Amino acid sequence: MEIFMWWLDLELASKEWLRENLRATEVPPFVLNHIAAAGGPGPGAAAEVLTPADWDFIETQSEFVD
């Protein structure tokens, strides 16, 4: 599922962590669980959950006013 379909439902703490740790190779379990709860890919390794296009979205398209 594309990130824009679940990003708005993602917990704010996870959004902040992703923005502050852009393109991290390891993502904490709480963030992976929040992604799954928001309707994104299930918990797994960051490389399995977040694609390069997802990181591009987080960097350029996500709004800081959540």
Side-chain angles (χ1 to χ4, degrees):
M1 176 176 295
E2 302 231 12
I3 190 170
F4 65 85
M5 297 180 77
W6 52 263
W7 181 261
L8 291 177
D9 295 324
L10 186 62
E11 295 280 337
L12 182 58
S14 291
K15 289 179 182 181
E16 291 173 347
W17 191 95
L18 290 167
R19 290 177 181 133
E20 292 170 4
N21 298 278
L22 198 60
R23 302 189 195 286
T25 56
E26 293 189 28
V27 177
F30 85 91
V31 175
L32 296 173
N33 289 333
H34 286 167
I35 290 171
E48 297 169 3
V49 175
L50 297 168
T51 66
D54 293 336
W55 286 115
D56 289 345
F57 174 89
I58 293 166
E59 181 178 20
T60 62
Q61 300 298 316
S62 68
E63 296 183 19
F64 287 87
V65 182
D66 291 314

